[in-house]
Amino acid sequence: MTPLEHMQRAARVKVMIFDVDGILTDGSLTYGPDGEVTKTFNVLDGLGIQLLNKTGVRTAIISARKSPIVVKRAADLGISHVYQGIHDKRIGFAELLQATGVTPEECGYIGDDVIDLPLFTRVGFAITVPSGHPEVQYRAHYVTRNAGGKGAVREVCDMIMRAQGTYEQALAPYFA
């Protein structure tokens, strides 16, 4: 796809959906001595999501894994639609469409592994990261320059805001 086609797809996004492991994080799972799992999130990605929310684009998480850390991070960022522990992501996607009233073509999704492919064939803007599985990269409309957990989400949020003409407005408070 051309950069123009990427921007056209980004301009139509009304709901941006994020996978967690490998997208909002670098994909690492750290186990503590009592078996608890910790994840590391990127603050640049977090602010990108908050800015995107302020422009009117809604945000969501659909993840196969279930973690209370994800619920906390989503709450901190204002992500109101969180679907976890769903291995068939089509189920969470259907619930999200019903809850938001948008069409599949008005959704963007960023994921990195074959479990994400069912959504790639349904959304209007399918995105992956450089470390995404080859089958996912092949089917993506866009592959980010930045890695998962290392600014890929911010790159996507900025792209959507630029495509929708809201980028300057979203950043304006920081230039005052």
Side-chain angles (χ1 to χ4, degrees), residues 20-21 24-25 39 41 61 63 65-76 79 82-84:
V20 176
D21 297 319
L24 290 171
T25 73
K39 300 173 188 267
F41 298 95
I61 289 173
S63 178
R65 295 181 57 85
K66 193 169 187 172
S67 169
I69 297 164
V70 172
V71 174
K72 171 70 172 128
R73 183 65 172 156
D76 289 348
I79 301 172
V82 179
Y83 304 89
Q84 292 194 89

Side-chain angles (χ1 to χ4, degrees), residues 30-110:
T30 304
Y31 288 85
D34 297 324
E36 71 278 8
V37 177
T38 61
K39 300 173 188 267
T40 301
F41 298 95
N42 184 290
V43 295
L44 290 173
D45 290 344
L47 183 57
I49 290 170
Q50 290 174 317
L51 293 171
L52 191 62
N53 284 331
K54 288 180 182 178
T55 69
V57 174
R58 291 175 276 182
T59 53
I61 289 173
I62 300 178
S63 178
R65 295 181 57 85
K66 193 169 187 172
S67 169
I69 297 164
V70 172
V71 174
K72 171 70 172 128
R73 183 65 172 156
D76 289 348
L77 300 178
I79 301 172
S80 54
H81 303 281
V82 179
Y83 304 89
Q84 292 194 89
I86 300 175
H87 292 278
D88 183 347
K89 293 190 176 188
R90 293 172 293 195
I91 295 168
F93 186 57
E95 290 178 25
L96 176 65
L97 293 177
Q98 185 173 9
T100 60
V102 299
T103 66
E105 295 79 24
E106 295 171 318
C107 293
Y109 180 74
I110 181 169

Side-chain angles (χ1 to χ4, degrees), residues 19 21 23 109 111-118 120 128 132-133 136:
D19 181 24
D21 297 319
I23 301 300
Y109 180 74
D112 66 332
D113 211 340
V114 294
I115 193 170
D116 301 306
L117 288 175
F120 269 49
T128 194
H133 188 280
V136 176

